[in-house]
Amino acid sequence: MPRTAALRDWVHERFESDFPGQQLPIEAASADASFRRYFRVRLPDQTARIVMDAPPEKEDCRPFMAVAALLKGAGVHVPEVLAHDLAQGFLLLSDLGSTTYLSALQDRSTAPQLYHDANQALLAIQLASRPGVLPDYDHALLSLELALFPEWYLRRHLALTLDDRQQATLKTTFAAILDNNLRQPRVFVHRDYHSRNLMLVGGGTGAFPASPGVLDFQDAVYGPLTYDLVSLYRDAYIDWPEEHELDYVIRYWEAARGAALPVASDFHDFYRDYEWMGAQRQLKVLGIFARLCHRDGKSNYLADMPRVLSYLRRTCQRYRELRPLARLLDAVEDRQVDVGYSF
């Protein structure tokens, strides 16, 4: 039976006792970069639910359920799991609405309040951290992610074969980045904490909620403290002048210090860690976007590559240890060298 038909049958079974014999409209809600799909079920009482379709041969629903419970316990607004069928890969979830941060931030005047709320939710996640609960974001996993850049972005997307010197540059630079990343304090890491996975939800005062609804957390790990912060403020889907970014990051850093999280006492040191963590994520994201295009046929992600590259270039030009990577990027893309600040 096609999955959509099986999903419809499963949904109708769940609500047959509440709404006997009634048709329940089911519409596409969203899809993400994995094999998961999401549908919105409109109920006769004017409420709605979300159904996650996660093919069990490709996706495992159990991490989603476990992390949802973990984040809910930390006071974070996440979808409630109302019913599940792990054999078929279906979850019935509460609906956090359809307004993403990305949509709301098109009115840029909303940014200070929205990012304040996002910082507060992130602090709640991090303050709940403890080892041994989530998988470790260790050397092996961080390295595996970095390997996506040469495999998918350079070889597949740009059709390049690196010479020995260029391969040595990548090896040395990746080692330096990982050394920084693995020396950072460790907390719970959402791993995709950005404007497409944060939702405007009710429950607050004034125009905005007290905290965002948080989605797409099933790949959460225990790892570097700055990872989610750089996901949020060097977002692949929306960017800000660096003076605005600095303001938002400083506000997080001050709040984190006040909450006794193990952030660096000097903001210069903290921002360096933030940027170096960003370099790891940006290299990974370039590889993932290329893979989504060439393997999965999702070419829409290519439009966001220039933004991710600009973040990576900014960091590589700023720190002398990363300048060889900046020169490699110039070479493979036949670009003129840009002038940047350095530290």
Side-chain angles (χ1 to χ4, degrees), residues 283-296:
L283 288 161
K284 174 182 79 168
V285 168
L286 289 168
I288 289 174
F289 283 2
R291 185 175 67 183
L292 285 167
C293 174
H294 299 288
R295 187 191 70 180
D296 302 332

Side-chain angles (χ1 to χ4, degrees), residues 242 275 310-320 322-323 326-327 330 335-343:
E242 192 170 15
E275 292 205 287
S310 71
Y311 295 145
L312 180 60
R313 286 181 178 281
R314 183 198 303 173
T315 295
C316 289
Q317 291 164 355
R318 183 167 284 170
Y319 300 97
R320 60 178 56 89
L322 299 181
R323 286 181 199 154
R327 291 192 291 270
D330 289 330
R335 281 176 51 105
Q336 296 297 315
V337 176
D338 295 324
V339 175
Y341 296 106
S342 43
F343 294 104

Side-chain angles (χ1 to χ4, degrees), residues 15-265:
F15 290 104
E16 178 60 28
S17 61
D18 295 319
F19 307 107
Q22 298 194 50
Q23 293 298 311
L24 305 178
I26 301 176
E27 61 196 38
S30 68
D32 60 25
S34 72
F35 295 100
R36 290 180 294 272
R37 299 184 300 167
Y38 297 88
F39 297 88
R40 179 168 283 108
V41 183
R42 303 286 184 181
L43 300 178
D45 63 1
Q46 306 305 308
T47 64
R49 305 289 187 273
I50 295 294
V51 184
M52 178 196 291
D53 172 20
E57 70 279 7
K58 295 177 178 178
E59 301 286 344
D60 184 355
C61 291
R62 289 171 296 181
F64 182 97
M65 297 172 64
V67 179
L70 188 69
L71 297 185
K72 181 180 179 182
V76 179
H77 196 148
V78 295
E80 183 179 356
V81 179
L82 304 171
H84 59 81
D85 185 332
L86 297 181
Q88 293 195 84
F90 299 146
L91 294 183
L92 183 68
L93 308 171
S94 59
D95 186 1
L96 299 189
S98 57
T99 304
T100 65
Y101 262 44
L102 181 60
S103 174
L105 287 166
Q106 301 312 304
D107 175 0
R108 298 223 161 192
S109 69
T110 66
Q113 182 64 54
L114 294 184
Y115 282 132
H116 169 271
D117 295 342
N119 280 351
Q120 293 303 306
L122 180 56
L123 290 169
I125 293 171
Q126 294 176 335
L127 286 167
S129 302
R130 56 193 188 277
V133 176
L134 296 175
D136 283 331
Y137 212 0
D138 56 14
H139 188 281
L141 183 51
L142 289 162
S143 298
L144 189 66
E145 292 178 342
L146 284 174
L148 296 169
F149 176 75
E151 178 182 357
W152 285 98
Y153 182 71
L154 296 180
R155 295 194 189 107
R156 187 65 182 272
H157 185 63
L158 298 184
L160 291 173
T161 300
L162 299 184
D163 59 31
D164 291 344
R165 183 175 179 180
Q166 290 170 327
Q167 289 183 36
T169 293
L170 276 190
K171 182 178 180 180
T172 301
T173 305
F174 285 4
I177 290 171
L178 291 173
D179 180 65
N180 170 276
N181 300 164
L182 293 167
R183 283 189 282 105
Q184 294 190 27
R186 295 162 70 78
V187 293
F188 287 164
V189 176
H190 176 290
R191 211 168 162 201
D192 230 0
Y193 196 77
H194 59 67
S195 62
R196 285 188 173 179
N197 289 332
L198 301 178
M199 309 296 294
L200 287 183
V201 292
T205 58
F208 300 105
S211 63
V214 179
L215 305 178
D216 204 21
F217 43 72
Q218 62 281 333
D219 295 324
V221 290
Y222 185 69
L225 182 145
T226 61
Y227 189 92
D228 283 341
L229 194 70
V230 81
S231 302
L232 180 63
Y233 293 121
R234 295 201 175 167
D235 190 329
Y237 309 109
I238 188 169
D239 57 88
W240 303 91
E242 192 170 15
E243 61 267 26
H244 293 184
E245 177 190 357
L246 276 165
D247 180 57
Y248 302 140
V249 174
I250 287 171
R251 290 176 187 276
Y252 162 86
W253 174 73
E254 290 174 337
R257 292 185 71 197
L261 280 168
V263 296
S265 60

